[in-house]
């Protein structure tokens, strides 16, 4: 395999592992939805939902991706660096944060009473786990 093919295989592996992991997290926690985005392009890599509602827009993650891409572009024009954000109202709390060297994660919760710090701690804990997975999946330079 070429270096590019190895990299693509690594991302595919991580996407599969992340989907499985996030589905379990979503089922056992108060998280309604978890989405993993590619860091440079903000394309959706994987997502998991604890709830299944038939009225949900099937393209909602792509729409969110486009909104965040535009926001990141606005930040870069003002020489600001996008790292994370929190959006909260009476219906949900959403967190977008850098996750690994190649990804961002978005966590959307229906329980708006959950303190922001608890969600940030959970994201940080999961980040450490995924950074180890990403490092293990990276092709070695030993030739």
């Amino acid at each position: 395999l070429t270096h590019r093919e190895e990299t693509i295989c690594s991302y595919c592996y991580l996407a599969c592992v992340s989907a499985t992991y996030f589905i379990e997290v979503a089922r056992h926690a108060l998280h309604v939805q978890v989405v993993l985005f590619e860091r440079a392009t903000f394309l959706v890599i994987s997502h998991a939902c604890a709830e299944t509602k038939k009225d949900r827009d099937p393209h909602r993650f792509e729409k969110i991706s486009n909104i965040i891409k535009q926001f990141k572009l606005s930040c870069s024009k003002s020489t600001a660096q996008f790292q994370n954000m929190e959006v909260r109202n009476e219906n949900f709390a959403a967190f977008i944060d850098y996750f690994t060297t190649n990804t961002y994660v978005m966590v959307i919760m229906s329980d708006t009473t959950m303190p922001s710090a608890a969600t940030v701690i959970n994201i940080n804990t999961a980040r450490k786990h995924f950074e180890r997975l990403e490092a293990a999946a990276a092709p070695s330079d030993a030739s």
Side-chain angles (χ1 to χ4, degrees):
L1 293 176
T2 67
H3 177 69
R4 186 180 188 312
E5 291 170 331
E6 287 178 356
T7 303
I8 291 169
C9 288
S10 295
Y11 283 126
C12 291
Y13 169 76
L14 283 174
C16 291
V17 170
S18 64
T20 303
Y21 176 80
F22 284 141
I23 289 167
E24 288 305 309
V25 169
R27 280 191 187 135
H28 298 314
L30 298 173
H31 301 158
V32 175
Q33 300 175 46
V34 181
V35 186
L36 196 64
F37 296 99
E38 197 275 328
R39 190 168 188 153
T41 63
F42 236 86
L43 294 175
V44 176
I45 296 173
S46 182
H47 63 87
C49 303
E51 298 176 353
T52 55
K53 291 187 177 180
K54 294 181 183 187
D55 60 340
R56 291 195 189 270
D57 180 354
H59 303 289
R60 66 191 178 279
F61 301 131
E62 288 80 10
K63 290 176 181 177
I64 291 169
S65 172
N66 288 328
I67 292 167
I68 298 299
K69 280 188 242 184
Q70 290 301 313
F71 181 73
K72 281 180 64 177
L73 182 62
S74 297
C75 289
S76 67
K77 286 180 180 178
S78 67
T79 66
Q81 187 79 24
F82 175 79
Q83 184 173 351
N84 59 37
M85 80 170 20
E86 175 182 350
V87 177
R88 183 181 288 270
N89 65 25
E90 66 276 356
N91 299 316
F92 71 91
F95 299 83
I96 299 175
D97 202 348
Y98 79 94
F99 197 54
T100 67
T101 55
N102 298 310
T103 60
Y104 276 92
V105 67
M106 178 174 66
V107 179
I108 304 169
M109 303 182 323
S110 59
D111 181 2
T112 59
T113 63
M114 175 75 74
S116 299
T119 303
V120 171
I121 288 170
N122 286 334
I123 291 171
N124 290 338
T125 301
R127 178 183 299 121
K128 292 174 190 170
H129 173 73
F130 276 90
E131 284 173 343
R132 286 192 299 271
L133 283 176
E134 195 171 63
S140 65
D141 290 332
S143 299

